[in-house]
Amino acid sequence: MKLYYFPGACPLATHIVLEWIGKPYETQRLTREQTKEPAYLALNPTGAVPTLVDGDFVLTQSAAILEYLAEMNPEAKLMGSDIRGRAEMRRWLSMCNSDIHRTFGLVFGSDYFSGGDAAVAKVLEDQATAKVKSFFTIVEKQLKGRDWVTGQRSLADAYLFVMISWAEAKKMDLSDLPELRRYQKKLRQDKGVQAALKAQGLA
């Protein structure tokens, strides 16, 4: 099993989950230029990461990869213990993937989406940053009294950790979200998270 990634990008969530599962895997670090080369485009036509190769099976898209790994390794208990637990996990995984991550696209890509207009780019980044903060405020309430976002460790925690790391990289002010900061600190102390960060040169 091989994971293709950029350091610190969303494949970090998959990297963490692979550590939590505890089975052998390989990683392939890429540059953005390499993702546009024919060899990689044959695996992932979007020219993005992550891509997971498991034998003759090639899978793209973070949420799909994460659920595949969890279902292949039920003993890791990363999906939820019953139908409602799985639904709850998917609720928060979807918020990370479809809401927070998507909005970060405007934070990181404001120059691209503005067509090079600096004033428009500033508005896009400011508005997107405020939207990301609003999502984190929802997460803040969910985390009160919980060590994990659903109450037990799940796929959503790995993805949420990456989203908080992006906020930190963009110097977003999260000082008014103490539960989120506590949660981030706890995850930074997790052995699987530490191993993934070290492997990607982030710790």
Side-chain angles (χ1 to χ4, degrees):
M1 189 175 290
K2 180 184 282 190
L3 172 67
Y4 292 81
Y5 75 98
F6 296 147
C10 61
L12 177 58
T14 299
H15 206 155
I16 291 167
V17 166
L18 285 165
E19 284 293 325
W20 284 348
I21 288 167
K23 292 183 179 176
Y25 67 91
E26 301 175 63
T27 59
Q28 179 65 56
R29 179 172 178 162
L30 298 173
T31 63
R32 295 192 183 278
E33 292 73 24
Q34 287 173 322
T35 63
K36 310 306 177 188
E37 293 174 357
Y40 186 74
L41 290 172
L43 294 175
N44 188 335
T46 67
V49 290
T51 298
L52 184 76
V53 177
D54 185 12
D56 61 355
F57 183 53
V58 179
L59 189 60
T60 63
Q61 301 297 331
S62 286
I65 290 170
L66 291 170
E67 289 209 31
Y68 174 74
L69 290 172
E71 291 201 49
M72 287 282 288
N73 299 276
E75 70 284 352
K77 298 179 180 178
L78 297 173
M79 285 283 288
S81 56
D82 56 25
I83 190 168
R84 290 190 176 184
R86 289 188 291 276
E88 190 70 7
M89 184 283 295
R90 288 187 174 106
R91 178 219 299 259
W92 296 104
L93 183 64
S94 295
M95 174 174 273
C96 290
N97 186 230
S98 301
D99 294 322
I100 305 175
H101 187 161
R102 181 186 64 181
T103 308
F104 261 116
L106 291 173
V107 176
F108 286 114
S110 58
D111 288 340
Y112 173 82
F113 288 108
S114 70
D117 185 317
V120 173
K122 180 69 165 58
V123 171
L124 283 174
E125 183 171 354
D126 288 349
Q127 291 288 91
T129 296
K131 189 65 175 175
V132 167
K133 191 77 180 291
S134 76
F135 290 132
F136 281 147
T137 300
I138 295 170
V139 176
E140 172 80 2
K141 293 176 182 176
Q142 174 68 12
L143 286 172
K144 193 173 177 80
R146 292 183 173 90
D147 286 334
W148 309 100
V149 71
T150 67
Q152 67 179 69
R153 189 177 71 171
S154 74
L155 302 175
D157 294 296
Y159 212 138
L160 182 55
F161 176 78
V162 178
M163 297 298 97
I164 300 170
S165 298
W166 288 1
E168 192 171 56
K170 291 299 291 183
K171 296 180 168 47
M172 290 185 188
D173 182 9
L174 304 179
S175 60
D176 59 338
L177 301 174
E179 295 294 332
L180 197 74
R181 300 297 286 179
R182 173 188 61 80
Y183 172 79
Q184 180 191 29
K185 183 177 180 180
K186 172 188 167 56
L187 275 167
R188 280 196 177 278
Q189 294 169 348
D190 179 271
K191 289 183 178 180
V193 172
Q194 289 180 349
L197 288 171
K198 184 177 180 180
Q200 293 199 9
L202 302 171

